[in-house]
Structures are given as C-alpha cells and as structure tokens.
Amino acid sequence: MKLGWLNAMFLLLMLSFQPFAASEPLPILEWCLDDLPEHHHYPDQGQPYGPTVDFMQEVAKVAGFKLRFSPNTPFARCLRLMAQGKTDLMVRLNSNPEREKVMFMLPYALANPEVLVIYKDSPDIQTVAELNRLNLMVIRGYTYNSNTINVVAKHPRSIEVSSLEAGLNMLMVNRGDAIVTTAEYALSITNSMPEFHQQFKLASLVFQEEDARYIHLAFSKASPHVHLKEQIAKAIATILADDGVYQSFHPLSVSPDHP
C-alpha cells in the first residue's frame, strides 16, 4: 500500500514539473549585413533597424530560429564568409551561377530594373545606339540582369569601376558618361553623401527584363544549420501568403537592392 502511495506521489511530481522541463534551445543563425539605406540602418551604437530587419525577424520567428546580427560588414566580405560557412544568411541578393554554388537563393520580392545615371548637365540617353557612343561604367561584382549584360557585352567603350560611389565621382570629373545601376540604389547613395546632392539625373533608357527577376534571401550551403533550409523557405512562403504581414515590410520591393 505504501509503495503504491509513493508511486502515485512520484507520478504527480513528474506531471507538475513537466511544464518546466528544459526545452530544446533554438538554433542561432547569423545574418551578415552592412548599412543599406531605405532597407536597414546599422547605427554606430545599437542594433540594426528598418523594414528588412523586421522581415528577417519575422522569418526567424516563423522558421523557428534566433536571429543574430553580424557586425557592420562590407558586402563583399559577407559573400566570402557565406562561401566559407562562417555566417549563415544574407538578404536582398541578386542570383547568379557563382552564388548558387555556395548559397541557397530563396526568392521573396521582385527586383528593380536597371537604369542609367548621368551627370546633371549631360544630354539625355534614349536608345542603345546613343549609349554606344559614350563611356559606359559598370560596377565590378554587381549582378546585372541578362538584358543589361547583353548590352554591356556589346558595348565598345565600357569601363569597370569598383563601386557606385567611385562611378559617381568619375561622372563628376567627366571620366565617364553613364553608370548602370538601379534608380533606388543610386538615390540611396546620393542622399547619404552631401557632395552628390542634386548632381545627377536618370536617363530615359531603362534596361527592362522580359521575364520577372527576383531578389533573394541567401542561405549558406556551408552553414552548420543547413537542415533548416526547408523551414526557412516555408517561412518566406507563409509571410508572402499573408499580404497584410508582407506589405508591412515593404518598401522592400521598391527600394535599393544589393548587387
């Protein structure tokens, strides 16, 4: 009788402690990011903030992991860390075969068309024939859409520059005539640097892609958490399906992308 009473007490204690049993800790995935105006700001003090941060936190919540921010890291270095499996996630990336070798590219928003930025006093450019007479600058490492690549490949006077900022500086000293980027990316750079204010305009020629082109959440194939890929993809699909939630994160679809 006493043994039965002890067993009952033990069972009662086990049931009472069950809600407090230690749960499996959530995996921690690092998002490698820099400061990308209009998307996410990375202040010198404090945590990143902005619509992309809200989006990534929602992905983490739905997919079931904790999101950790990297230090403010240049874009090119983030790409190297992703290839090495030393960071897990990037966002707003264009896709290309080289990136697809080392990252899962999970689409979530339409990419912006590419345009020509020219100096404020320059004549307009309306056709590719007009463009072929000029010195055209393209950004090293930027992933352009296929239509733009076709134009650049045939261009007789293309110049490769290290960054959009470098190309804008060359426009100001007449060392180039036009640079290919997105309107929103150009706007974010010119707004953030006083010396560029009201110095440039957009040409009429726009490089439209025939097929829809997307930007992506990139997930390193060398990540120790690679098994979460399907959960992250499903989380993105869930967010996209809920239009109210999705729209709360956008300007995402109409503001600057990473190259």
Side-chain angles (χ1 to χ4, degrees), residues 218-243:
F219 185 23
S220 171
K221 290 184 177 180
S223 167
H225 306 292
V226 71
H227 61 282
L228 295 176
K229 184 251 185 178
E230 291 303 321
Q231 288 175 233
I232 294 173
K234 289 178 182 178
I236 293 172
T238 298
I239 293 169
L240 297 184
D242 189 332
D243 191 61

Side-chain angles (χ1 to χ4, degrees), residues 3-229:
L3 185 60
W5 179 81
L6 287 174
N7 286 338
M9 287 296 295
F10 179 74
L11 179 60
L12 183 62
L13 286 171
M14 289 295 293
L15 291 173
S16 65
F17 280 112
Q18 189 172 353
F20 303 99
S23 59
E24 191 73 21
L26 292 177
I28 300 173
L29 274 65
E30 183 181 86
W31 171 20
C32 195
L33 73 161
D34 55 1
D35 187 82
L36 188 61
E38 309 300 327
H39 283 290
H40 47 263
H41 298 275
Y42 209 135
D44 293 334
Q45 303 293 329
Q47 295 292 300
Y49 64 93
T52 317
V53 175
D54 298 338
F55 172 74
M56 291 295 285
Q57 289 175 332
E58 184 70 11
V59 170
K61 182 175 76 173
V62 176
F65 65 88
K66 288 185 177 180
L67 185 66
R68 181 176 66 208
F69 303 117
S70 74
N72 191 336
T73 306
F75 175 71
R77 177 164 172 75
C78 281
L79 290 176
R80 292 195 296 271
L81 293 173
M82 289 282 282
Q84 297 164 1
K86 294 180 179 179
T87 194
D88 303 295
L89 303 166
M90 292 181 70
V91 73
R92 298 203 67 83
L93 264 65
N94 294 325
S95 184
N96 64 25
E98 183 179 354
R99 291 177 185 177
E100 290 172 3
K101 289 178 182 177
V102 295
M103 308 176 205
F104 297 109
M105 305 298 287
L106 308 175
Y108 71 92
L110 287 171
N112 296 306
E114 283 138 7
V115 298
L116 290 171
V117 179
I118 56 180
Y119 189 58
K120 62 181 180 180
D121 296 329
S122 298
D124 192 21
I125 304 169
Q126 299 183 355
T127 67
V128 172
E130 293 174 338
L131 180 63
N132 284 340
R133 298 195 297 267
L134 304 175
N135 294 314
L136 175 65
M137 291 181 286
V138 293
I139 303 169
R140 185 182 308 127
Y142 193 107
T143 303
Y144 291 105
N145 70 49
S146 58
N147 187 31
T148 308
I149 291 172
N150 289 336
V151 172
V152 171
K154 299 173 184 176
H155 196 278
R157 301 167 67 180
S158 63
I159 303 169
E160 190 176 80
V161 295
S162 60
S163 66
L164 178 56
E165 181 183 342
L168 294 176
N169 277 314
M170 290 177 66
L171 287 178
M172 292 181 68
V173 297
N174 201 31
R175 292 179 57 197
D177 298 304
I179 185 167
V180 189
T181 182
T182 63
E184 295 78 14
Y185 192 33
L187 184 63
S188 71
I189 295 296
T190 55
N191 283 345
S192 66
M193 306 187 71
E195 63 270 30
F196 290 157
H197 288 180
Q198 299 181 334
Q199 297 300 308
F200 308 100
K201 63 183 180 181
L202 300 181
S204 296
L205 179 61
V206 176
F207 300 96
Q208 292 285 2
E209 190 79 347
E210 292 183 4
D211 299 322
R213 182 166 167 263
Y214 294 89
I215 55 172
H216 304 78
L217 188 158
F219 185 23
S220 171
K221 290 184 177 180
S223 167
H225 306 292
V226 71
H227 61 282
L228 295 176
K229 184 251 185 178

